[in-house]
Amino acid sequence: MRNDTQRHGTILLATTMMLASCVSDALADWPTDPATPLVVGPAQLAFTPRLSVVTADDGAVWIAWQDSFCGGADEGSVRLQRVALDAALLAPHGIDAQQDPTCGFVLPPILTPVDDGVLVSRPLVGLDTEPLQSFDATGAAAWPAGFSTSEVYTLGASARLDGGDTLVVSYAWSTIRADRLDASGAPVWPAPSTFDSDTGPNLRILGIVPEPTGGAYVFWDSPAFAYTRLIRAQRLDADGTPAWTPSVRLVASPPDVTSSRHTDPVIATDGQGGAVVIFAQGFETGTTPAPLLMQRIDPDGALAFPLDGQRVSLGVDRQFDPIVRTDPATSDLLIVWRDGLFDAQSVRAQRMTPDGERLWGNQGIAVAPITPSDTFDAVWQNGRLSVVVASASGAVMHNFDAQGAPAPGPWTVSTDPAYYVRAVPSADGIVVAWQRDGEGLDDAIVAQRVNPDGRLGAPACSAADLSAPFGAIDFSDVVAFLVAFAGGEPAADLAPPLGQLDFSDVVAFLTVFAGGCP
């Protein structure tokens, strides 16, 4: 291989020098300094969780947040920002997506990707007066009138279904309503699907899990004895027909195992046509150790485990604030949670099969110590679990491979205090967003892009983009390829047979280089 390098080096250098004029403009202005993240928009007069982030089909990231309340110029408006792969913003401060007539309702907005656009609304609004809004990639209203109901229904959740339609779930008293909408916002079903909650009127929608036949699972919970909660689910067929009468209860009744009121359950697909819910066992006493539990429901309504659920970890500390992601290659669940009480807390993670097997040991793996005020989020990307922990000291990304062993890192995302962190995949990288404390009441929503090697900044635009400035093809990439090729490094291994550097890799580099940045 070394002889091949020497033999073809002159040819490679001469050819690439001629191609060096094929230089495209830089793709991005993503910051490379963890002290200067990209400013997404202003966030005034409130310091509380209020941030939602999703990824569109084109790799752009949509960010929605609640701006000022009671005194700000926007009186609590939901602001919406699109951050393209090249860090281009929809507007300097985002767009005003929806006003808040309550002057102070601050919660993370409902945000659902639809192709390259997005649906957005404040949660828990009355759809008869505050329609669900849809925006395309340019920020234009895709549904000028939005989606509304003629009767009073409270918006609970929305989700994109297989095939591209959207399911919107709302509720009124003890009735749950589902509307299936096409890309234009028009109803797909002749009439909405409605069914009884089987819990009475005091309920909240936990979310929607689409299923492969075109239908979806709808999850909700309601208060139970001693401040615990009961979780129920209903599966809707593709035509909106409820599959079960009554709906299926996923936890036991008090005094047996219920869901905790101190932490919200999370739901996800099981990758096999069913759905899972992860919840903490309910106790009223905040200092009582409580395990994190998993329950799975199949398309026929059968539960995979007894009503007391399957333990995520056999640890004895309190386990709460779960996050769950699904590995699409295996259907395994990646579960991350807050473990412990008061100042003795840590973030832990577990990999579980849909059948409840704990793959990362009986107690999972330790990610990082945290304080009660720290926040975290997790992404399954590039075959590894990436967990971002945000604190008054900044934000750090911890990585683990599929076996739970530490992967490269940890990587510093921010050196300034970071609050209410969110992370989502974007192309081959991860975009991390958080709230940054500012002067007085003038805070900001900011973001940073982390590339697969931990580098902050613009994504590489192709396999030939091997050196800074990333997002541009120039002679520095030629030099980087030569160095990698001469050193036998994987970055130069661009063509079969993989694991062997030869002239086919040179040709592959030249071909990609000549194409420039897309």
Side-chain angles (χ1 to χ4, degrees):
M1 185 176 68
R2 185 68 60 176
N3 290 336
D4 284 345
T5 303
Q6 295 170 346
R7 184 166 60 252
H8 300 302
T10 301
I11 299 173
L12 173 63
L13 182 58
T15 307
T16 51
M17 288 182 68
M18 287 188 292
L19 290 171
S21 60
C22 299
V23 179
S24 64
D25 294 334
L27 275 177
D29 291 317
W30 280 107
T32 59
D33 184 351
T36 58
L38 178 71
V39 177
V40 172
Q44 299 176 344
L45 297 179
F47 207 72
T48 183
R50 50 169 166 172
L51 182 65
S52 298
V53 187
V54 296
T55 308
D57 287 355
D58 60 0
V61 169
W62 288 91
I63 303 175
W65 70 97
Q66 184 107 11
D67 200 359
S68 58
F69 74 102
C70 290
D74 294 313
E75 293 290 330
S77 67
V78 170
R79 302 205 68 79
L80 180 67
Q81 182 67 275
R82 181 181 185 270
V83 187
L85 278 173
D86 63 358
L89 300 178
L90 189 64
H93 293 162
I95 62 174
D96 188 347
Q98 186 184 60
Q99 290 291 307
D100 178 9
T102 69
C103 189
F105 188 88
V106 182
L107 284 175
I110 288 177
L111 192 63
T112 304
V114 181
D115 298 324
D116 293 339
V118 74
L119 304 182
V120 64
S121 174
R122 292 186 301 113
L124 305 179
V125 298
L127 284 171
D128 59 318
T129 58
E130 299 178 69
L132 177 66
Q133 303 293 330
S134 177
F135 296 90
D136 66 19
T138 70
W143 304 345
F147 168 73
S148 60
T149 56
S150 58
E151 299 175 332
V152 179
Y153 275 89
T154 300
L155 176 61
S158 62
R160 185 181 184 183
L161 300 176
D162 291 349
D165 290 343
T166 299
L167 188 69
V168 179
V169 174
S170 55
Y171 58 97
W173 196 245
S174 61
T175 298
I176 296 177
R177 166 175 168 159
D179 291 85
R180 184 173 187 140
L181 311 175
D182 65 17
S184 69
V188 174
W189 297 329
S193 173
T194 59
F195 53 92
D196 193 89
S197 69
D198 301 310
T199 60
N202 194 354
L203 65 97
R204 62 175 178 173
I205 304 297
L206 297 176
I208 303 166
V209 175
E211 54 97 16
T213 65
Y217 297 87
V218 179
F219 290 82
W220 65 98
D221 68 1
S222 58
F225 177 75
Y227 301 98
T228 60
R229 304 187 72 88
L230 298 177
I231 304 173
R232 300 191 75 92
Q234 178 63 267
R235 182 174 67 81
L236 300 178
D237 294 335
D239 62 2
T241 303
W244 311 314
T245 303
S247 58
V248 176
R249 181 161 50 88
L250 285 86
V251 298
S253 298
D256 295 322
V257 175
T258 53
S259 176
S260 172
R261 71 157 186 165
H262 297 289
T263 187
D264 291 338
V266 293
I267 58 175
T269 177
D270 68 356
Q272 301 178 353
V276 298
V277 58
I278 307 295
F279 62 99
Q281 183 172 344
F283 289 102
E284 165 58 9
T285 304
T287 58
T288 303
L292 206 61
L293 302 169
M294 168 186 171
Q295 184 59 267
R296 191 184 90 223
I297 188 167
D298 292 329
D300 61 1
L303 300 183
F305 312 110
L307 281 176
D308 55 358
Q310 174 74 344
R311 293 281 298 270
V312 172
S313 166
L314 301 186
V316 297
D317 285 329
R318 189 171 182 86
Q319 302 157 12
F320 52 113
D321 292 349
I323 294 169
V324 60
R325 306 289 181 248
T326 304
D327 179 356
T330 64
S331 300
D332 289 344
L333 304 170
L334 289 306
I335 304 166
V336 182
W337 71 93
R338 187 184 298 268
D339 194 276
L341 290 169
F342 307 118
D343 293 331
Q345 293 185 10
S346 65
V347 179
R348 298 190 69 85
Q350 177 66 274
R351 184 182 182 116
M352 296 188 75
T353 69
D355 294 328
E357 182 182 359
R358 293 181 288 270
L359 299 180
W360 288 355
N362 281 335
Q363 297 187 36
I365 59 173
V367 175
I370 56 171
T371 71
S373 61
D374 296 344
T375 59
F376 58 94
D377 202 0
V379 173
W380 178 255
Q381 175 81 320
N382 300 317
R384 64 190 177 210
L385 178 67
S386 296
V387 182
V388 183
V389 178
S391 69
S393 301
V396 177
M397 181 177 289
H398 304 266
N399 303 302
F400 300 88
D401 66 18
Q403 288 71 48
W411 299 327
T412 299
V413 179
S414 172
T415 53
D416 289 335
Y419 304 94
Y420 313 120
V421 70
R422 295 295 310 274
V424 293
S426 174
D428 65 345
I430 296 173
V431 170
V432 182
W434 66 93
Q435 184 170 337
R436 185 178 67 181
D437 198 9
E439 293 290 333
L441 298 174
D442 293 328
D443 297 335
I445 303 300
V446 298
Q448 185 59 277
R449 178 184 169 84
V450 185
N451 289 282
D453 59 357
R455 175 180 59 82
L456 300 182
C461 69
S462 73
D465 189 9
L466 299 176
S467 70
F470 288 94
I473 296 293
D474 57 24
F475 191 67
S476 65
D477 299 302
V478 176
V479 174
F481 178 80
L482 287 171
V483 171
F485 190 88
E489 298 175 8
D493 192 7
L494 302 179
L498 297 179
Q500 175 182 327
L501 296 183
D502 55 25
F503 193 64
S504 63
D505 297 299
V506 175
V507 174
F509 175 79
L510 291 175
T511 301
V512 177
F513 186 93
C517 281

